[in-house]
Amino acid sequence: MARRKKIYEGKAKILYEGPEPGTLVQYFKDDATAFNAEKHDVIEGKGVLNNRLSEFFMTGLNAIGVPTHFIKRINMREQLIRQVEIIPLEVVVRNTAAGSMSKRLGIEEGTALPRPIVEFYFKDDALGDPLVTEEHIIAFGWATQQDLDDMVALALRVNDFLSGVMLAVGIKLVDFKIEIGRIWDGDFMRLVVADEISPDSCRLWDVKTGDHLDKDVFRRDLGSLTDAYTEVAKRLGVLPTNVTHPTKPTLIN
Ligand code: UDP
């Protein structure tokens, strides 16, 4: 196959030109990074799992009328997506205190929040993705008040969907991050969920044991990241075969 044009390479994914205008191919790498890429490792099979998991969540969102950039999965590591204009904000929804919120506000990890809290972080690696307010977002023109209202509504719908899907398989959705993009149809603009939804961008705790089934396993050295993600995929019924050693032959007894 002819080499495709690389559009962008991030920490965990690569975007290539798609087969048709307005489409891209999103490739999931095995790289894991944390603390603004200070910690880095290659975890065999992570990209395959995240490709499947993101497909599962995005397909479900599309099915309930929450628009996403996802079109279809192409193979083990790639999916076809709509090209969007990414809004330079990370949208975080929290149901339970953890991570940076616990640290910033001195709330013990695991404390249930009185209602889901939506936060915005400005996407800028050099600044370490700082927390910003709606005032900053509007003043600096990253999004309009209307966009913000739509983004909060979108994020809360994603939260309700993901919380329900995870709870059904014994997993608590503590918090998650999404990215949102604009798609233009002529003069008409709409916002869609973009990037990925996977255990890389969510906090997932086992309801019974409290075990972490997300990237905190890597951030906090809590064990095997592949085992944790495989557990999530297994419970959701989206486990691909030969995940941990996709290139090695399997002995069949
Ligand atoms: N998150 C993410 N990418 C980032 C920062 C955060 O996907 O660059 C996710 C993270 O996995 C968690 C949620 O957003 O599910 C909230 O993260 P938090 O602000 O607590 O930061 P952290 O403690 O992960 O640094």
Side-chain angles (χ1 to χ4, degrees):
M1 195 167 120
R3 270 184 82 81
R4 282 175 310 208
K5 191 170 160 212
K6 194 190 277 187
I7 307 280
Y8 174 80
E9 177 155 6
K11 288 176 277 222
K13 294 186 296 294
I14 305 173
L15 293 177
Y16 296 99
E17 208 170 59
E20 284 161 37
T23 65
L24 295 174
V25 172
Q26 179 164 254
Y27 175 98
F28 286 77
K29 303 197 282 186
D30 280 342
D31 296 61
T33 61
F35 313 118
N36 208 2
E38 270 169 45
K39 182 171 178 171
H40 175 257
D41 205 352
V42 174
I43 293 163
E44 199 181 343
K46 180 176 85 82
V48 176
L49 284 159
N50 281 354
N51 185 24
R52 288 281 182 148
L53 284 164
S54 203
E55 172 195 19
F56 176 78
F57 296 128
M58 297 279 186
T59 304
L61 286 169
N62 284 339
I64 62 161
V66 177
T68 81
H69 72 164
F70 182 82
I71 302 172
K72 65 171 187 180
R73 188 170 59 79
I74 300 170
N75 57 41
M76 294 276 276
R77 287 183 182 273
E78 294 178 322
Q79 45 184 244
L80 186 66
I81 58 168
R82 298 272 311 259
Q83 184 163 26
V84 305
E85 196 179 285
I86 286 283
I87 294 175
L89 298 168
E90 300 200 332
V91 184
V92 169
V93 182
R94 302 178 184 273
N95 300 301
T96 301
S100 72
M101 172 186 249
S102 288
K103 235 179 254 162
R104 184 179 310 111
L105 301 179
I107 306 173
E108 195 185 340
E109 280 209 324
T111 308
L113 298 171
R115 48 171 249 190
I117 294 176
V118 181
E119 298 174 337
F120 298 98
Y121 293 82
F122 180 49
K123 267 168 69 72
D124 187 316
D125 282 343
L127 298 175
D129 298 341
L131 180 67
V132 291
T133 68
E134 296 199 358
E135 286 283 299
H136 296 116
I137 294 167
I138 293 165
F140 296 126
W142 299 322
T144 64
Q145 183 64 60
Q146 182 65 57
D147 291 335
L148 279 170
D149 294 347
D150 293 347
M151 287 167 79
V152 169
L154 208 52
L156 290 176
R157 287 196 73 192
V158 174
N159 186 45
D160 284 345
F161 171 76
L162 283 183
S163 297
V165 166
M166 299 314 301
L167 193 61
V169 295
I171 295 173
K172 175 154 85 168
L173 178 67
V174 171
D175 57 31
F176 66 94
K177 181 265 301 186
I178 53 170
E179 298 192 19
I180 293 175
R182 300 177 196 280
I183 288 184
W184 295 91
D185 290 318
D187 282 345
F188 182 72
M189 186 275 293
R190 62 200 179 101
L191 299 178
V192 304
V193 178
D195 191 53
E196 72 176 285
I197 300 178
S198 75
D200 267 10
S201 50
C202 300
R203 279 201 171 88
L204 305 171
W205 295 354
D206 184 278
V207 168
K208 283 208 189 104
T209 63
D211 284 352
H212 295 252
L213 299 171
D214 55 55
K215 207 164 94 175
D216 276 346
V217 170
F218 171 72
R219 293 189 191 98
R220 304 177 184 188
D221 295 319
L222 299 175
S224 160
L225 194 72
T226 317
D227 286 355
Y229 287 22
T230 302
E231 178 64 25
V232 175
K234 233 196 248 173
R235 289 197 201 182
L236 294 169
V238 293
L239 186 70
T241 50
N242 292 342
V243 166
T244 45
H245 302 291
T247 55
K248 291 177 193 154
T250 313
L251 186 66
I252 300 168
N253 292 312

